[in-house]
Amino acid sequence: MMDFSVGDDQQPDHHSPQVNADDEVAEPVLGGETLAEESEEQPDPVVQEADRLTDHPVPDAPEAYELDYGMQDEIDPHVDRQFRQFAHENGVSGEMAQKLVDFHNSLEAARYEDHQTQTGEWERQTRSLPGWHGANYRKNMGVANKAVQTFASPALAKMIRDSGYSCHPEVVKAFYNVGRRLAEDSYVEGRGAAPREKTIGEILYPNQPI
């Protein structure tokens, strides 16, 4: 009977790769950088949220927000109160709340610039109306403003001025026509006995019974 010796002289099996437990895991060659990035340990979302709250805490109460609205006039108290309440209920930090205010202000500034551009275009259109060129512009505006002073209330005059419609060609033409009718009727009645100031209805609709 033949004995088979088992010892150090046994030849290793080259078909079975030997893995040393002490060896470090080699960086993967295949798969590209994406595979390597996916292999990295992903941060815990809970830890990330805790870090965020620590760096940017939410104020204890709506009144605790320190907000700079960047406005010369005071902000509407109702708007301020509603925004603070919304921010606090939704866990908005003080820093993010200020960023939201700044973003809103940038939108309002852009809207104001667009409106200024539009009012300039309305004035250009009014100056281009037939018979409104040159010195006639000031003369015709005097007639239109006479109608505004006669028939528009202070609240209406302020609304027209603040909205930018004081240069809108349709608004200007409407008051100009009223002012011209007013001047014509005053001249005709002035030639008779005691002049009577007509109503706005009589001026705009002279042929209709009032």
Side-chain angles (χ1 to χ4, degrees):
M1 184 173 182
M2 185 179 295
D3 295 331
F4 294 94
S5 60
V6 179
D8 296 337
D9 295 337
Q10 185 176 359
Q11 297 295 324
D13 185 359
H14 295 288
H15 298 285
S16 299
Q18 301 295 319
V19 178
N20 192 336
D22 296 333
D23 293 343
E24 296 182 357
V25 178
E27 181 179 353
V29 176
L30 303 179
E33 296 180 357
T34 304
L35 180 62
E37 293 175 356
E38 292 178 352
S39 302
E40 297 178 357
E41 182 180 357
Q42 298 298 323
D44 189 343
V46 177
V47 176
Q48 283 186 312
E49 180 66 12
D51 291 341
R52 185 187 70 81
L53 293 176
T54 302
D55 295 337
H56 307 288
V58 178
D60 296 333
E63 298 77 12
Y65 282 93
E66 297 181 1
L67 300 174
D68 179 12
Y69 289 100
M71 302 175 62
Q72 294 181 353
D73 299 332
E74 293 185 1
I75 187 69
D76 186 336
H78 175 72
V79 175
D80 177 57
R81 183 169 58 255
Q82 291 296 318
F83 176 69
R84 290 173 181 273
Q85 188 68 31
F86 169 82
H88 190 262
E89 289 178 353
N90 290 272
V92 179
S93 67
E95 180 182 0
M96 180 55 67
Q98 183 60 54
K99 288 183 178 181
L100 291 175
V101 170
D102 295 341
F103 177 69
H104 175 266
N105 288 344
S106 66
L107 294 180
E108 286 297 306
R111 186 188 65 82
Y112 176 78
E113 290 296 330
D114 291 342
H115 185 64
Q116 290 294 101
T117 302
Q118 182 62 71
T119 55
E121 175 62 20
W122 287 335
E123 181 178 353
R124 187 194 65 79
Q125 293 174 2
T126 302
R127 290 180 178 272
S128 300
L129 291 172
W132 285 68
H133 301 84
N136 287 336
Y137 179 81
R138 179 178 295 274
K139 177 182 177 181
N140 293 343
M141 274 297 183
V143 175
N145 278 311
K146 178 64 176 178
V148 173
Q149 295 169 3
T150 303
F151 298 108
S153 65
L156 176 58
K158 183 178 186 301
M159 183 179 68
I160 294 174
R161 187 183 303 107
D162 293 346
S163 65
Y165 281 94
S166 58
C167 291
H168 195 290
E170 295 302 323
V171 174
V172 171
K173 285 191 300 182
F175 279 103
Y176 170 75
N177 290 332
V178 172
R180 190 175 60 178
R181 289 279 185 88
L182 180 63
E184 292 174 353
D185 291 338
S186 297
Y187 172 75
V188 172
E189 292 199 1
R191 298 178 62 184
R196 179 180 66 85
E197 184 175 337
K198 288 189 175 184
T199 65
I200 182 65
E202 291 174 324
I203 293 176
L204 293 178
Y205 308 102
N207 298 325
Q208 296 293 329
I210 303 299

